[in-house]
Amino acid sequence: MDSLPDENRGPGVVALIVVMTVISTIIVMLRVYSKIFLIRGMGWDDAMMVVGVICSIVYEAANILNIKYGSGRHHRFLNDYQIRHGAIWGFMAGILYNLTIFFVKFSVILFLLRIGKLKRWVRIVIYLDLFLVFGSLATTIIVQLVQCIPITHNWYPEVPAHCLPSRTLTLVSYISSAFTTLTDFVCVILPFFILWDLKISKRAKISVWILLCFGMFPGICSVVKIFYLKTLGTEDASWSAINLTIWGVAEIHAGIAAASIPALRSLFLCAANRLRSNPKTPGSSYESRNPYRYKRKNHDEDDDGTSVIPLHERSDAGNQGGIVKTTEFEVTDTTHSQTEVRPDNASERHGPFVKSTPEGSSTFVNLNPAGV
């Protein structure tokens, strides 16, 4: 024990907390934007997810304060002040973790209940899943609150108190984690059966299934977290319990993202449609779509030796009458079989142009032979 270095894993965990919190918060904000401005209506599942992400932000603040007071360092290097305040914020983080998990899973369950007409057995499974979520997390919170009476004994060990046996606390933690993992996988697997009966395209089903597969990651995090429960109550808990913090953070934010990404499908489709309707490629310009090529030239000759001369530059332009255009354009088709003269605006089809040949003779080109 004396040979242990004073390592600190806290800064890396804080960086992980900040990154994952920002990502999950942005995803939920996009979900709310999609529901309000695209779908024109938020449901209770969206409201519960907003509450869940707010709880997660408070939970991560408690984690950061717990790390500030020594979590991630070996216990022997901490003073009494750090141990006491670390215990306070660790206790708060445990409560907030269970509240966050509840609201996130409650949001997922409400979302499943909104999908079409559900079969009876599916609805029974959903309500059973809700009962397990509520029962396990409520039990965990109650046990955590009454594990020692008075509660201040958790961070002031010198205060006399009546506490539950450590084996009872460990057993409750394992049972709660097992139910949490079970409900995670139920929330992932059940939508596959629900979508199977919906009358939507096969492509839409596959895309939603792929998005729902992200929901397996929170379940995996919950399984991994079970293996670190044994570190609770050890002499060097401030060092070993940081692993529970890491996987708890990953579980929560992966759950928020996985539950919200399918709700962003309408936003993805809207963005894709806008990209298709407003291409920004060079080939999408007006000139490339028009069969004629417009070029500005200053009396430059074309391949066939002809050029376009504005009418006002001819000495006899005043005798011709009509509307005089002062902008010079040359329009040539891609085959170079003939040279056509067109105005710069297709709507202005009146007014003569002059076509001049190398010999010096000139002719008027009538752009509106029908007289319209």
Side-chain angles (χ1 to χ4, degrees), residues 309-315 317 320-321 323-325 352-354 364:
I309 304 176
L311 183 60
H312 74 280
E313 294 185 10
R314 282 180 45 86
S315 60
Q320 301 299 331
I323 299 175
V324 178
K325 298 288 289 184
F353 273 65
V354 177
F364 286 93

Side-chain angles (χ1 to χ4, degrees), residues 295-301 307-308 310 313 328:
K295 297 180 181 178
R296 292 182 179 271
K297 302 182 69 175
N298 186 18
H299 306 317
D300 294 338
E301 292 188 349
S307 63
V308 178
E313 294 185 10
E328 176 185 345

